[in-house]
Amino acid sequence: MPRRFSHLDRQQQVSDLRDTLYDVLVVGGGITGAGIASDAAMRGLKTALVEKDDWGAGTSSKSSKLVHGGLRYLEQLEFGLVMESTAERAFLMKRVSHLVRPLPFTYPVYNTHKHSPWFIQMGMWLYDCLALFRNHRNHKRLSPKQVAEREPLLKQSGLKAAMYYYDCITDDARLTLENAMAAHNLGATVLSRMEVKSLASQEDGTSLVTVWDAWEEQEVQVRARRVVNAAGPWTNQVLKAEQRPQTEVVRPTKGVHVVVPREILPVNSAVVVNSPRDGRIAFIIPWEESIAIGTTDTDYDGSLDDVRTTREDVEYLLEAIRTGFPEASCTEDAIISTWAGLRPLIKDDSDNPYNTSREHEIIEDKDGIITIAGGKLTTYRKMAEECVDKVIGSLGKLAQPSKTSTRKLTLPGAENFQFRKDGEKTINNIVGTTEIPKVAAERLVTRYGARWKAIMEGANNHELLDPEGRVLKAEVSYAIEHEMVGGIEDFMLRRTHLFYHLNDQGLHAGEWVVEQLQNAFGWSPERTQEERDRYGELVSANRSWKEGK
Ligand code: FAD
């Protein structure tokens, strides 16, 4: 029987990890590592992927969730990056259409703007051109009257025009998860809760990697011909584990988002606002049933494992909203939740993190360790391709890769399913033939793509987990059996977003999830209580900014 992508089949995978000599071991299950693992496995390399926490638990679940061409990079004249990003956006929009969907943006231009609307529009034309007109739709210029009709709460005084254009919104954690699943389906050994502790080069040219298995509480030794360090903000730490003198590749910068209910800021598109403090842009993003507002961009030197939102971050974002939406009553009290992530940017000397390039770098050292850092979610596939090319080049005759490309890879949720074509019909069909409310049906189809059927087929009933009806109880057992969920946090934050959308951060709904986990994994009452307590601490940590000055 094929192994499931599940902790229920974990022991066998750990044995594989122990017994195999891998062509490549990828460290870090964020989008970068998961993308590399799926690419390497597709090209026939014996591949392992280890993640110390859950898939996407690092930065890759804390982005702005935009798959974008990078309009602001035009200002920095990074045309190559824009071209690459728009090409990847077009590809993902077509191939993973349940997870990468078009989102309209409104970019208002006021009389205080350093450029005229005419100049900005030239930039928009360039943006469309560099995308080779493969946007969802080309941009439009709106008059102040048209803006007032579409976004009535947006500040009108001094408004000269607005640009209306499309980028895409995604589910970053699920894009990561589906890449890890794809790697698994292609034969890679893919394990979460496995932390690389040390790396040592062997005389035969392989690396011996010591990994801590937090699930079984044991040490495992892994052998690999090449190791890819894709540890995002932890890249420097992994380099230290290898005892390298060159340990500072990454400059982590913190980005915060706050989440408010739709009624507070009922926008009809994502809206670009400028911070009155430093002129940086922030986005007001319609995100599922809520509005996400972000982001900040500040240097960070705190703990990589406990990145928190501060009161100062919140004030910065609220100030930007008040400037763009003076009539909206968006105060601290309206905030349901926040998230804070670290950009693993390539270290440079610029004073301002906002100006640090978003380009990626791949650094190969002579002992078979390849480090990849920087870049962004949007370009993960291209970055992975380049990195695997490097791995193959370095393996030389040891590898006989097949000539294929992840341009041909179908992620699990896109197997025989195109949301663009089938999505609406499928949602209507679920709503018409079951008791499932529209919002849950929409989430089911956008979260799982083609896999929505498996959840429905495996369900005894269609009971809902949360009071607002976004998630089915059946999703919990599916996530345990088929999505490698190993704790309540995995489910509430990354398989679904109940933590972010619900006022109690899912403390109530989470009780049922804990019970299912206890049954599935045979947890003792003490272990189950530990899980509850940990989640409670996470909820408190998410609110800790309220106590700050
Ligand atoms: P991570 O996602 O952090 O993955 C690294 C993984 O390595 C982690 O899961 C970690 O647990 C694991 N790890 C660490 N040490 C070890 C170890 N010793 N052993 C095993 N595993 C280990 N990009 C876009 O394209 N669009 C956006 O809208 C966007 N918005 C952003 C907004 C913010 C606020 C931020 C911070 C970033 C944003 N980005 C965006 C950038 C993008 O999110 C990141 O470039 C990307 O997610 C980085 O992925 P990664 O895999 O390199 O890092």
Side-chain angles (χ1 to χ4, degrees):
M1 208 166 107
R3 272 170 269 149
R4 290 169 292 181
F5 183 83
S6 166
H7 287 300
L8 299 170
D9 284 356
R10 199 169 187 281
Q11 265 180 4
Q12 225 178 326
Q13 302 226 44
V14 176
S15 305
D16 291 346
L17 196 66
R18 208 179 258 129
D19 299 340
T20 312
L21 168 61
Y22 290 98
D23 290 326
V24 58
L25 168 74
V26 185
V27 184
I31 192 66
T32 309
I36 292 167
S38 60
D39 191 310
M42 192 176 182
R43 291 205 246 174
L45 301 189
K46 204 123 216 43
T47 305
L49 169 65
V50 289
E51 160 56 45
K52 72 176 178 142
D53 193 324
D54 177 34
W55 310 110
T59 307
S60 299
S61 57
K62 292 163 192 147
S63 76
S64 302
K65 307 179 196 310
L66 303 177
V67 168
H68 61 110
L71 190 55
R72 89 175 176 87
Y73 309 138
L74 279 184
E75 218 180 337
Q76 293 156 348
L77 307 179
E78 295 202 60
F79 299 128
L81 189 56
V82 175
M83 262 194 107
E84 182 177 87
S85 308
T86 48
E88 288 304 303
R89 183 189 62 186
F91 171 78
L92 291 171
M93 198 165 49
K94 192 164 158 216
R95 291 298 296 247
V96 200
S97 58
H98 62 295
L99 288 180
V100 180
R101 301 184 306 278
L103 177 73
F105 282 70
T106 304
Y107 178 2
V109 186
Y110 293 95
N111 53 13
T112 47
H113 202 290
K114 63 180 169 187
H115 298 302
S116 67
W118 178 86
F119 185 86
I120 308 257
Q121 196 172 10
M122 291 298 286
M124 294 305 309
W125 276 120
L126 186 59
Y127 196 52
D128 289 340
C129 285
L130 290 171
L132 307 176
F133 299 97
R134 286 172 303 188
N135 299 326
H136 175 63
R137 286 190 194 121
N138 287 340
H139 84 275
K140 264 199 280 197
R141 178 173 167 160
L142 303 179
S143 67
K145 184 163 170 275
Q146 287 170 313
V147 179
E149 281 161 12
R150 288 167 190 237
E151 298 297 350
L153 278 184
L154 186 63
K155 186 175 92 166
Q156 303 295 322
S157 81
L159 184 67
K160 290 170 96 176
M163 304 302 146
Y164 190 77
Y165 68 98
Y166 280 84
D167 266 317
C168 288
I169 185 135
T170 188
D171 182 330
D172 46 6
R174 282 199 164 269
L175 194 58
T176 305
L177 176 77
E178 287 216 14
N179 271 282
M181 290 172 95
H184 165 95
N185 294 345
L186 288 160
T189 306
V190 170
L191 280 158
S192 59
R193 292 176 165 84
M194 279 282 187
E195 180 172 2
V196 168
K197 289 290 189 187
S198 72
L199 294 115
S201 308
Q202 304 293 97
E203 277 181 5
D204 63 358
T206 61
S207 290
L208 188 65
V209 183
T210 306
V211 179
W212 175 248
D213 176 357
W215 190 261
E216 295 289 341
E217 302 196 332
Q218 59 180 348
E219 216 173 72
V220 179
Q221 306 254 296
V222 192
R223 285 193 318 131
R225 293 193 165 106
R226 299 292 176 267
V227 175
V228 172
N229 173 2
W234 291 265
T235 300
N236 299 342
Q237 271 187 10
V238 171
L239 284 170
K240 279 186 187 134
E242 194 216 346
Q243 287 159 356
R244 294 270 133 188
Q246 173 214 24
T247 50
E248 297 288 316
V249 171
V250 159
R251 170 185 188 170
T253 79
K254 188 173 83 163
V256 164
H257 289 78
V258 301
V259 180
V260 299
R262 283 241 178 184
E263 319 72 272
I264 298 285
L265 264 178
V267 288
N268 295 305
S269 58
V271 179
V272 182
V273 291
N274 281 89
S275 158
R277 254 191 237 184
D278 56 10
R280 282 191 61 242
I281 57 168
F283 295 106
I284 319 273
I285 305 166
W287 177 55
E288 300 177 347
E289 287 72 62
S290 307
I291 300 287
I293 301 150
T295 172
T296 59
D297 200 341
T298 48
D299 274 317
Y300 184 79
D301 60 6
S303 160
L304 302 179
D305 297 301
D306 186 17
V307 188
R308 294 195 187 188
T309 300
T310 62
R311 181 171 285 276
E312 202 187 331
D313 298 324
V314 170
E315 280 168 3
Y316 176 93
L317 293 173
L318 290 182
E319 237 175 66
I321 297 164
R322 278 195 293 272
T323 311
F325 291 83
E327 316 265 291
S329 54
C330 194
T331 61
E332 278 183 10
D333 294 340
I335 295 173
I336 311 170
S337 61
T338 73
W339 71 81
L342 298 176
R343 299 174 188 82
L345 302 182
I346 297 292
K347 197 172 166 66
D348 69 357
D349 300 326
S350 68
D351 308 338
N352 185 344
Y354 191 52
N355 296 329
T356 300
S357 172
R358 268 55 180 166
E359 294 270 16
H360 67 276
E361 248 178 55
I362 302 174
I363 305 154
E364 193 179 342
D365 77 28
K366 58 180 179 352
D367 288 334
I369 315 282
I370 294 167
T371 297
I372 178 164
K376 54 200 185 107
L377 192 77
T378 306
T379 48
Y380 82 88
R381 196 202 61 81
K382 200 79 201 347
M383 287 164 61
E385 197 168 77
E386 216 181 290
C387 186
V388 177
D389 284 345
K390 277 252 161 37
V391 172
I392 288 171
S394 138
L395 282 169
K397 290 198 177 117
L398 292 171
Q400 270 109 35
S402 52
K403 280 206 171 56
T404 184
S405 153
T406 43
R407 294 192 74 79
K408 294 190 189 133
L409 175 67
T410 304
L411 292 180
E415 289 285 351
N416 301 318
F417 183 80
Q418 275 196 27
F419 182 79
R420 297 199 302 176
K421 259 185 31 223
D422 314 323
E424 213 47 51
K425 204 169 59 195
T426 309
I427 293 165
N428 290 338
N429 188 24
I430 296 173
V431 173
T433 55
T434 66
E435 305 272 284
I436 295 176
K438 179 137 192 196
V439 54
E442 274 171 3
R443 291 292 148 258
L444 201 61
V445 179
T446 50
R447 265 202 285 272
Y448 304 94
R451 295 182 301 131
W452 71 270
K453 268 197 209 133
I455 295 162
M456 299 285 281
E457 280 162 15
N460 299 328
N461 60 54
H462 299 146
E463 267 181 58
L464 297 163
L465 178 66
D466 62 309
E468 326 260 325
R470 298 179 174 103
V471 175
L472 303 182
K473 282 188 171 173
E475 292 177 57
V476 181
S477 38
Y478 184 80
I480 294 171
E481 279 174 39
H482 302 284
E483 294 198 324
M484 219 180 267
V485 156
I488 176 173
E489 181 191 327
D490 304 357
F491 187 80
M492 302 300 274
L493 275 77
R494 291 175 290 274
R495 301 306 180 277
T496 66
H497 301 130
L498 289 178
F499 177 89
Y500 298 107
H501 294 307
L502 294 178
N503 277 322
D504 73 344
Q505 243 94 87
L507 277 170
H508 184 74
E511 192 43 47
W512 200 81
V513 181
V514 176
E515 281 169 28
Q516 305 316 300
L517 290 163
Q518 180 177 23
N519 292 341
F521 300 132
W523 283 348
S524 66
E526 294 75 32
R527 170 69 186 87
T528 311
Q529 189 54 40
E530 239 175 59
E531 188 69 12
R532 277 192 197 98
D533 294 346
R534 229 187 356 224
Y535 192 66
E537 281 162 23
L538 197 71
V539 172
S540 306
N542 200 264
R543 296 171 182 170
S544 64
W545 62 268
K546 294 185 184 178
E547 282 119 47
K549 284 189 266 117

